[in-house]
């Protein structure tokens, strides 16, 4: 419920009043893990939260999918809802009405929808604002004019941002894709929606406020979208290019609305601390007496006055992401901060009175050596020595190559190497007081690494993983050629990637060149919106 993408989609359905009718939206959730088994035994079909109606009674079942880990919940929800699992099995339902249209959108599937291709009738790719109301218009029109379910689904292909997997044919050459072709008359490229002028839409926020959620005391709102820094591993940074800032007066109005609801204000965005009016927004919250938190902080955008405002606004832990332990590796990933810059920012953070710092690092980045990995512990110790008291928390995650980033061409690092490097860092820091290390193992990251670059052959794995568990299913699947290929294969700009048919405006050749620049340890300057056309996004 805290996910602003999910909240915005509910709001967009809810505010559809134009066109051909009124839309009613209701929410349905997978029962909590501890209730799931028992619920399954009841044979009661999964129902909506608002009116307790079975899922099969809805015209559309829409999923908002932010992470690959969410994929396993799709077969579970459809199974509990008694909705046929595969798109090809859906047609006329039990009471001679059509099975619901199963739709999905969200960040994970906008990067690569293929693993879910067999289960989802239609994907809406890109940003929901600017797409959803057009989709409803077309859907209602087809319901009136087209009698058959198959033709209705196909009729939705006329929208530029819809992807209907059943209308495309894929041929494989063992590990990779040999050809990906639309059927006759179907569009070749899906143009994902990107709204360059965000101010024409309502600001995403906690429209529905509920205590039953992870951020129950926080009113969340988006202040900006996209990040122009070009960190070469970052899917959120590239997918949402160009960086777009919201009108500060509108943001302040939403902050005031949040203050009225009570609790603290959470400002969301890929690079919140780079929002040009961030200080004004934090001070506005502060003036209304509300604590304000930010979803991320970039080290080089912190200065003493801003840190003092954050402290006053109730900010407790400063979270920073150096990502790599050496300057060389930070050049590879295009995060060109020197050790001296990191340390002087930490000094300012400590000076401002913060005693809790959280650091994010990635392990297994392209060209990383044993020395680069160990340098994470050296840098950590230098940072800790600047803190007179308090705690330093390290969060280490294996690097997973993501579609639509320059590192989409790069393989996942060997799992044994990743785990060895993490163990080395833990060993170097284990006797230090005031430092905690939390790390995800390579084993835990492998499933995500598989799904993030997988083609539609992964659908059967998702179904098995939902029934067994991802770890148990992966044990069975890990030796398959297509799985090894998705995880460990380095690809070139000429290879057909499973997501090549999606247009987010990013030029594939630009991503390839950025990858090469990274391997050469060359930095690329941040976006210069208005005068730059290098990645292709600002042309169209
Ligand atoms: S074209 Fe240039 S300014 Fe626009 S998003 Fe790409 S890199 Fe950034």
């Amino acid at each position: 419920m805290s996910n602003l993408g999910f909240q915005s989609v509910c709001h967009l359905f809810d505010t559809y009043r134009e066109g051909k009718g009124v839309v009613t939206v209701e929410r349905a959730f997978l029962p909590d893990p501890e209730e799931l088994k028992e619920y399954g035994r009841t044979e009661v079909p999964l129902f909506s939260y608002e009116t307790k109606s079975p899922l099969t009674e809805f015209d559309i079942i829409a999923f908002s999918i932010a992470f690959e880990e969410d994929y396993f919940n799709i077969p579970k929800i459809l199974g509990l809802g008694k909705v046929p699992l595969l798109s090809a099995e859906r047609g006329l339902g039990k009471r001679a009405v059509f099975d619901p249209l199963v739709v999905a959108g969200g960040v994970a599937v906008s990067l690569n929808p293929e693993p879910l291709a067999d289960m989802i009738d239609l994907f809406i790719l890109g940003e929901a604002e600017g797409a959803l109301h057009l989709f409803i218009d077309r859907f209602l029109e087809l319901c009136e004019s087209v009698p058959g379910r198959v033709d209705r689904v196909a009729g939705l292909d006329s929208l530029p941002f819809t992807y209907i997997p059943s209308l495309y044919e894929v041929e494989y050459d063992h590990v990779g894709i040999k050809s990906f072709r639309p059927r006759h008359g179907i569009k070749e490229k899906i143009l994902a929606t990107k709204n360059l002028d965000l101010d024409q839409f309502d600001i995403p926020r906690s429209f529905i406020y509920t205590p039953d959620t992870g951020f129950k005391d926080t009113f969340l709102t988006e202040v900006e979208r996209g990040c122009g820094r070009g960190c070469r591993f970052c899917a959120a940074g590239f997918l949402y290019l160009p960086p777009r800032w919201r009108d500060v007066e509108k943001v302040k109005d939403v902050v005031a609305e949040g203050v009225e609801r009570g609790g603290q204000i959470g400002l969301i965005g890929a690079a919140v601390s780079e929002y040009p009016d961030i200080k004004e927004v934090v001070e506005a919250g502060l003036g209304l007496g509300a604590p304000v938190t930010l979803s991320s902080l970039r080290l080089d955008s912190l200065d003493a006055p801003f840190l003092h405002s954050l402290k006053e606004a109730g900010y407790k832990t400063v979270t920073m992401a150096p990502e790599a332990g050496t300057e060389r590796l930070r050049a590879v990933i295009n995060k060109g901060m020197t050790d001296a810059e990191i340390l002087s920012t930490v000094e300012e953070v400590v000076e401002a009175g913060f005693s809790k710092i959280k650091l994010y690092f990635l392990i297994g980045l392209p060209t990383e050596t044993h020395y680069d990995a160990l340098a994470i512990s050296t840098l950590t110790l230098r940072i800790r020595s600047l803190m007179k008291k308090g705690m330093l928390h390290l969060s280490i995650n294996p690097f997973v190559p993501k579609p639509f980033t320059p590192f989409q061409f790069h393989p996942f690092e060997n799992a044994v190497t990743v785990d060895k490097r993490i163990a080395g860092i833990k060993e170097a820091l284990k006797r230090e007081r005031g430092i905690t290390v939390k790390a995800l193992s390579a084993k835990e990251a492998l499933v995500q690494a598989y799904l993030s670059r997988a083609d539609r052959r992964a659908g059967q794995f998702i179904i098995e993983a939902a029934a067994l568990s991802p770890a148990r299913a992966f044990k069975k699947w890990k030796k398959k050629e297509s799985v090894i290929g998705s995880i460990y294969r380095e690809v070139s700009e000429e290879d057909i990637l499973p997501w090549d048919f999606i247009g987010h405006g990013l030029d594939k050749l630009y991503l390839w060149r950025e990858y090469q620049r990274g391997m050469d340890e060359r930095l690329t300057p941040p976006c210069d919106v208005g005068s730059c056309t290098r990645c292709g996004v600002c042309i169209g």
Side-chain angles (χ1 to χ4, degrees), residues 228 241-243 510 527-530 532-539:
L241 283 176
Y510 173 79
C527 281
D528 185 5
V529 185
C532 162
T533 54
R534 67 181 184 220
C535 81
V537 168
C538 292
I539 300 171

Side-chain angles (χ1 to χ4, degrees), residues 88-379:
E89 292 167 350
R90 286 176 211 131
L92 211 52
K94 276 201 180 118
R95 287 175 299 119
V97 288
F98 290 136
D99 285 319
L101 181 75
V102 179
V103 175
V107 183
V109 298
S110 290
L111 289 168
N112 179 16
E114 284 303 87
L116 291 172
D118 293 341
M119 282 168 261
I120 302 294
D121 294 322
L122 176 145
F123 291 93
I124 294 180
L125 301 180
E127 299 170 4
E129 309 106 330
L132 219 51
H133 285 192
L134 292 175
F135 165 75
I136 302 167
D137 277 344
R138 181 74 181 133
F139 179 76
L140 294 174
E141 192 180 287
L142 290 163
C143 285
E144 274 177 19
S145 58
V146 177
R149 188 181 188 275
V150 172
D151 292 336
R152 274 188 200 172
V153 176
L156 289 158
D157 175 67
S158 65
L159 297 164
F161 47 80
T162 50
Y163 169 49
I164 302 160
S166 57
L167 303 181
Y168 294 76
E169 275 155 18
V170 193
E171 260 188 276
Y172 303 99
D173 62 358
H174 306 290
V175 181
I177 293 175
K178 195 165 152 199
S179 72
F180 184 94
R181 275 193 298 264
R183 294 211 180 136
H184 179 69
I186 300 303
K187 61 184 181 278
E188 261 181 48
K189 192 106 183 161
I190 316 299
L191 299 179
T193 317
K194 192 174 291 252
N195 303 297
L196 293 181
D197 178 14
L198 285 182
D199 283 327
Q200 51 173 313
F201 305 103
D202 288 339
I203 298 183
R205 69 196 83 158
S206 304
F207 291 108
I208 307 167
Y209 212 43
T210 165
D212 303 318
T213 180
F215 288 90
K216 60 180 179 200
D217 297 321
T218 308
F219 179 88
L220 300 167
T221 181
E222 186 189 64
V223 296
E224 61 86 31
R225 197 171 289 179
C227 169
R229 294 287 183 151
C231 295
R232 296 182 175 117
F233 59 85
C234 181
F238 276 89
L239 188 70
Y240 293 120
L241 283 176
R244 286 157 285 166
W245 319 119
R246 291 189 177 278
D247 177 80
V248 64
E249 292 309 320
K250 289 187 177 163
V251 172
K252 279 167 31 187
D253 286 347
V254 174
V255 166
E257 181 190 323
V259 174
E260 262 177 45
R261 298 254 201 107
Q264 64 177 355
I265 307 296
L267 306 178
I268 303 284
V272 186
S273 56
E274 293 187 39
Y275 176 55
D277 300 304
I278 189 69
K279 289 175 197 169
E280 200 177 326
V281 172
V282 170
E283 271 154 27
L286 206 55
L288 295 167
V292 180
T293 62
L294 276 64
S295 62
S296 65
L297 287 174
R298 182 150 170 130
L299 288 162
D300 47 7
S301 57
L302 301 175
D303 57 28
F306 183 44
L307 283 164
H308 282 288
S309 299
L310 288 179
K311 182 83 184 139
E312 239 185 289
Y315 210 82
K316 290 191 180 71
T317 306
V318 174
T319 307
M320 305 187 292
E323 312 289 6
T326 57
E327 290 177 8
R328 185 201 70 79
L329 194 52
R330 286 198 287 275
V332 171
I333 63 175
N334 205 36
K335 197 145 200 173
M337 279 177 303
T338 63
D339 288 352
E341 282 165 341
I342 294 172
L343 294 170
S344 90
T345 306
V346 170
E347 275 175 340
E348 283 188 310
V349 167
V350 173
E351 186 63 35
F354 289 97
S355 57
K356 279 190 203 152
I357 297 178
K358 188 167 183 188
L359 301 173
Y360 281 100
F361 288 101
L362 291 169
I363 208 82
L365 284 162
T367 79
E368 182 188 87
T369 62
H370 186 60
Y371 172 77
D372 291 309
L374 260 191
I376 291 178
S377 46
T378 316
L379 183 64

Side-chain angles (χ1 to χ4, degrees), residues 381 384 428-436:
L381 289 172
R384 182 71 187 113
L429 297 172
K430 75 176 182 200
R431 284 191 189 83
E432 300 301 326
R433 288 183 60 193
I435 297 178
T436 65

